[in-house]
Amino acid sequence: MNPKTVIQLENITKFYRGTTDPAVKNISLQIPENAIFGLLGPNGAGKTTTVNMLCGLLKPTRGEIRVNGLLLPDHLKKIRQEIGVVPQDIALYPTLTANENLRFFGNMYGLKGTILKKRIAQCLNLLGLEEKAQRKVKTYSGGMKRRLNLIAGILHQPKILFLDEPTVGIDVQSRNVILTYLKELNIDGTTIIYTSHYLEEAENLCTHIAIIDYGEIIIEGRPEQLIQSKPEYTDLETIFLHLTGRRLRDN
Amino acid sequence: MLKLRSSIIKEILVLIRDMAGLAILFVMPMVLIFVMTLIQDSTFRKLDETYLEVLVVNNDLDSLGMAIEQGLASTGFFSVKTSLDDQNISEQVLHQHISEGNYQIGILIKEGSTKALREKAKILIEKALAEGNADSLRYEPDSSRTATVVVYFDPVIKNSFKQSVMNALDNFTSKIESKIIFQAFTEEVKPLLPEGSELSFLGESGITIEQTYASNKYNEVLPNSVQHNVPAWTVFAMFFIIIPLTGNIIKEREDGSALRLKLMPGSYITVLLSKIIVYLVVCLIQFFLMLMVGIIFLPLLGMPTLELGSHPGALIILSLSVALAATGYGVLLGTIATSHEQAASFGSVSVIILAAIGGIWVPVYMMPPIMQKISIISPLNWGVDGFYDVFLRGADLQKIIPQALSLILFCVVTMLLAFQYERLKKT
């Protein structure tokens, strides 16, 4: 039996105001339930535009997006309750403590009282921050901030989690804790949509991968399938370079 | 309600942990009021014409000299100085001070002026009573003796001040001249009157000129430096919250918190609302502190006390309206600006321009007519004008409705523009 599709994109095109070239060109994708879906591509390939449309932050110029069968943007409010987002930037208040930050974001998701308190304690414990909960975020190291950034996106136990480069610029230990936790979340039933430039990390973590370039999906499938389909290449990184080229993408 | 409460708590925590922001919000405006009020005090006093210093050399030392000296002092417009450094002023010193610009007006009442006036009066009376028979005149006119008052003006003196002095002198000399003529007349006709009866000089004019201000109350309150500067700089400071407010909005956007909040159901509007509420309260605290400066601290430095009028309701509504307008402007700028630098520079310069146009630095009534017309486009002007109404013209709630509504409308328009801009960004 085919797994249920949680996110479906049909012929999505996005033009930004005042531009003639589309940022995303006629993309169609199906993301199955409980997948860890890696959306990979060079800078400016269209990853962020695609994710922003999936979250309802941007409206597609053409095409249709369904999340859990619900059409965007008609059911935006309901969809937003079911998704969690971990932005690439540390989207936290540096002058507030970890606890104050999490209490605020938890309240914003409608969590309160003992439930919120327990959930904060549980997440802090799992990501090794329980002892630093009363410290202001500005005193945290890069790895601690990343872990806290992740917690703020999953407090409300979303069914679908969007992660934009969640391990960028952190030490190996913090990266290991984050990736282990993401796998646990996935085992518990969370579908994860993940963008990264770390292809080895994506290869190990993701159950599904799509490579996007110049606004188009150029290859899609399970990592092992992609590697098998190109026997001349040994890993995802060499396939990626083969498909997207070695030219620098500064824009 | 949970989201709003939590968001308000978050805003308060962010605000109170930002010491530099707190200084901008509360300390700097108070310092500004102190400095501006003290600097502008002497200018306002000149405008009120309450302290125009006049040097007087009274060589007459008789009725005319005393009448001019006391008359000038009694008007309240002039501060009469007859000595400098405990030394009587001579004609030469008087001339020197005026020519050097140390004082703007000097009056010299020449010796024997009253005597000359008396002689002139006697001759006039005699002439009148002699019915053309010049041989019967007892007094010979002495052409060398005349009553002379010389007024020295600094060339830079304003024409209105010059005119005030001349009018005052004209008034006092006329009065004393009439009195002297009456005394001479009394002396002449005394033998014709029944024994024991006397004529008395009434002195006062038979015409009563009443002065009244057009407003109902506070006729005694004139716009001085405190009455102008406290409301003016309070409005300015309230509008200056756009700097921390736009900084707060842009920071949230730059660090991704705004994005996270936008992805939470209904949270972005709640967060924006919480910012508006918190900054409204900040504005009201600012307003209260500024009033305290005007009521308590400035009088300690010898400044006049700020008069608040008698309608606290009008004052509260007006301050809330100014706070709303300032917050709306801050939200609009924070939404449109793409960086801290852009928001800070555009925000501060725009508020300074609006303040200059709106009569914060120089009151609108002192501006040229064209600028007076332009001033009505500034929301800061609506605020200051409203405070003038409450403080000086005794306006109640009904009277300040036009200004309050204009400010609230400004807030609504700026908010709508911000929301529209945010909506456009989505596409």
Side-chain angles (χ1 to χ4, degrees):
Chain A
M1 195 177 74
N2 282 338
K4 186 186 157 194
T5 299
V6 287
I7 292 177
Q8 190 170 359
L9 289 88
E10 274 182 39
N11 306 318
I12 293 297
T13 298
K14 175 68 188 176
F15 283 92
Y16 283 108
R17 192 183 292 271
T19 58
T20 50
D21 293 327
V24 167
K25 212 184 297 175
N26 210 29
I27 283 181
S28 292
L29 266 180
Q30 290 192 340
I31 299 174
E33 189 177 29
N34 217 23
I36 301 182
F37 189 92
L39 189 60
L40 312 175
N43 289 337
K47 300 187 297 288
T48 307
T49 302
T50 306
V51 170
N52 283 347
M53 285 192 288
L54 293 179
C55 302
L57 278 173
L58 284 175
K59 282 180 190 164
T61 313
R62 278 197 297 273
E64 206 173 85
I65 299 173
R66 284 177 191 276
V67 178
N68 266 345
L70 300 169
L71 191 66
L72 264 173
D74 301 356
H75 299 90
L76 189 60
K77 201 172 173 184
K78 196 165 181 207
I79 290 168
R80 280 183 176 168
Q81 197 63 49
E82 294 182 354
I83 65 171
V85 179
V86 181
Q88 186 183 348
D89 296 318
I90 305 296
L92 300 163
Y93 296 95
T95 54
L96 303 192
T97 65
N99 236 332
E100 287 165 346
N101 266 288
L102 295 178
R103 211 160 45 226
F104 167 64
F105 287 117
N107 286 159
M108 288 292 116
Y109 275 116
L111 303 174
K112 59 181 176 178
T114 322
I115 294 172
L116 177 61
K117 217 171 169 180
K118 277 185 182 168
R119 180 75 185 136
I120 289 173
Q122 183 193 19
C123 291
L124 286 171
N125 184 38
L126 282 168
L127 285 157
L129 291 170
E130 69 277 16
E131 284 172 17
K132 317 283 189 316
Q134 302 305 329
R135 268 173 55 180
K136 285 180 186 163
V137 173
K138 66 180 179 186
T139 66
Y140 274 29
S141 69
M144 289 161 76
K145 283 178 187 167
R146 283 259 161 241
R147 280 179 273 155
L148 190 63
N149 202 31
L150 172 62
I151 296 173
I154 54 154
L155 271 177
H156 62 301
Q157 296 174 294
K159 288 179 185 160
I160 303 163
L161 180 62
F162 293 93
L163 296 145
D164 190 3
E165 308 215 25
T167 58
V168 70
I170 56 170
D171 61 9
V172 178
Q173 284 76 12
S174 285
R175 177 180 295 182
N176 179 50
V177 169
I178 288 174
L179 295 178
T180 306
Y181 186 64
L182 289 178
K183 280 179 186 167
E184 282 172 19
L185 274 179
N186 182 246
I187 289 166
D188 291 343
T190 309
T191 304
I192 296 171
I193 292 101
Y194 157 95
T195 70
S196 180
H197 285 116
Y198 299 122
L199 296 176
E200 194 184 336
E201 181 184 295
E203 190 180 328
N204 291 328
L205 181 72
C206 296
T207 57
H208 295 73
I209 277 172
I211 295 176
I212 184 170
D213 200 13
Y214 295 109
E216 289 179 285
I217 301 287
I218 50 177
I219 198 166
E220 185 204 342
R222 290 181 174 272
E224 61 274 15
Q225 284 174 341
L226 297 182
I227 293 166
Q228 279 168 12
S229 70
K230 307 267 180 199
E232 65 271 37
Y233 302 109
T234 52
D235 55 24
L236 199 59
E237 188 165 327
T238 49
I239 294 173
F240 183 88
L241 284 171
H242 166 70
L243 293 171
T244 60
R246 289 176 183 274
R247 193 168 60 84
L248 291 172
R249 306 291 183 89
D250 292 334
N251 296 313
Chain B
M1 213 47 205
L2 169 76
K3 289 181 181 181
L4 184 63
R5 199 185 62 205
S6 182
S7 194
I8 288 172
I9 292 170
K10 183 265 292 176
E11 288 297 336
I12 293 170
L13 287 174
V14 169
L15 195 66
I16 60 172
R17 288 175 189 173
D18 176 12
M19 296 311 284
L22 286 179
I24 290 176
L25 287 172
F26 299 113
V27 181
M28 279 173 64
M30 288 170 77
V31 173
L32 197 64
I33 284 194
F34 266 109
V35 173
M36 294 310 294
T37 307
L38 291 170
I39 288 173
Q40 291 194 358
D41 186 54
S42 60
T43 313
F44 271 84
R45 281 179 196 270
K46 274 181 187 164
L47 282 171
D48 296 344
E49 300 185 339
T50 51
Y51 263 100
L52 192 60
E53 289 186 318
V54 179
L55 295 185
V56 175
V57 176
N58 183 3
N59 288 338
D60 178 50
L61 297 173
D62 205 337
S63 303
L64 179 67
M66 297 315 287
I68 290 173
E69 212 179 303
Q70 287 166 6
L72 285 171
S74 68
T75 58
F77 292 130
F78 307 105
S79 169
V80 176
K81 281 186 178 285
T82 53
S83 61
L84 291 171
D85 301 326
D86 294 330
Q87 297 273 315
N88 278 339
I89 306 167
S90 66
E91 189 178 342
Q92 197 185 357
V93 170
L94 175 110
H95 192 272
Q96 188 189 341
H97 276 296
I98 305 299
S99 63
E100 287 175 359
N102 301 331
Y103 293 88
Q104 292 183 307
I105 300 166
I107 297 172
L108 169 69
I109 308 152
K110 288 202 170 171
E111 192 182 349
S113 290
T114 306
K115 205 173 175 184
L117 208 55
R118 281 197 190 107
E119 280 180 6
K120 192 184 162 193
K122 280 182 180 172
I123 291 163
L124 281 172
I125 299 298
E126 272 215 346
K127 264 187 181 173
L129 294 176
E131 292 176 352
N133 184 4
D135 298 339
S136 65
L137 289 177
R138 282 176 290 164
Y139 296 99
E140 283 299 319
D142 181 355
S143 57
S144 66
R145 189 172 284 168
T146 53
T148 312
V149 177
V150 184
V151 186
Y152 295 92
F153 288 112
D154 181 357
V156 301
I157 193 170
K158 283 172 76 175
N159 225 14
S160 57
F161 291 158
K162 201 170 163 182
Q163 207 52 49
S164 301
V165 175
M166 294 311 291
N167 288 343
L169 283 175
D170 199 33
N171 182 23
F172 308 138
T173 51
S174 298
K175 269 187 187 170
I176 200 71
E177 198 173 6
S178 306
K179 194 176 176 184
I180 287 169
I181 290 170
F182 183 81
Q183 280 168 349
F185 176 74
T186 309
E187 267 180 38
E188 286 297 322
V189 298
K190 207 172 182 180
L192 305 172
L193 294 174
E195 204 168 321
S197 64
E198 262 185 25
L199 290 173
S200 62
F201 180 66
L202 292 170
E204 297 301 318
S205 166
I207 304 162
T208 307
I209 300 170
E210 285 184 0
Q211 289 187 50
T212 183
Y213 290 92
S215 58
N216 299 328
K217 281 193 156 194
Y218 299 97
N219 293 349
E220 76 277 12
V221 181
L222 292 167
N224 52 42
S225 62
V226 173
Q227 294 296 122
H228 166 72
N229 278 310
V230 174
W233 294 105
T234 302
V235 171
F236 181 77
M238 284 162 95
F239 265 83
F240 236 79
I241 63 148
I242 65 159
I243 303 297
L245 178 55
T246 53
N248 179 306
I249 293 171
I250 290 167
K251 193 167 187 304
E252 240 171 31
R253 198 167 60 222
E254 281 180 350
D255 69 15
S257 318
L259 179 85
R260 180 171 263 161
L261 291 166
K262 277 180 191 167
L263 289 166
M264 296 174 175
S267 294
Y268 192 65
I269 300 290
T270 311
V271 168
L272 213 53
L273 188 63
S274 72
K275 284 187 200 303
I276 293 166
I277 292 170
V278 168
Y279 279 87
L280 267 182
V281 173
V282 165
C283 278
L284 292 179
I285 295 171
Q286 275 184 333
F287 182 70
F288 176 76
L289 289 174
M290 306 294 176
L291 293 191
M292 288 302 104
V293 170
I295 294 168
I296 298 169
F297 299 110
L298 285 172
L300 295 177
L301 298 172
M303 300 284 111
T305 305
L306 178 72
E307 300 286 343
L308 292 183
S310 61
H311 296 282
L315 204 56
I316 290 165
I317 294 295
L318 198 61
S319 53
L320 259 174
S321 308
V322 174
L324 274 170
T327 314
Y329 189 44
V331 169
L332 177 63
L333 272 187
T335 309
I336 292 174
T338 52
S339 66
H340 281 284
E341 293 76 16
Q342 199 183 64
S345 54
F346 181 81
S348 51
V349 171
S350 67
V351 171
I352 288 168
I353 291 171
L354 288 173
I357 294 172
I360 302 295
W361 290 346
V362 178
V364 171
Y365 61 83
M366 287 172 65
M367 291 181 182
I370 180 75
M371 288 310 293
Q372 289 189 13
K373 281 179 187 157
I374 291 172
S375 72
I376 57 164
I377 65 166
S378 167
L380 280 82
N381 173 253
W382 312 335
V384 175
D385 193 45
F387 284 122
Y388 269 2
D389 278 352
V390 177
F391 291 164
L392 301 171
R393 297 170 195 135
D396 57 12
L397 195 55
Q398 209 180 352
K399 293 251 174 69
I400 53 102
I401 280 175
Q403 290 99 328
L405 276 183
S406 305
L407 289 160
I408 292 167
L409 191 67
F410 179 80
C411 170
V412 172
V413 170
T414 48
M415 290 283 184
L416 286 175
L417 285 173
F419 284 124
Q420 185 62 19
Y421 187 84
E422 198 61 47
R423 218 164 61 89
L424 277 175
K425 275 204 291 192
K426 245 187 174 182
T427 59

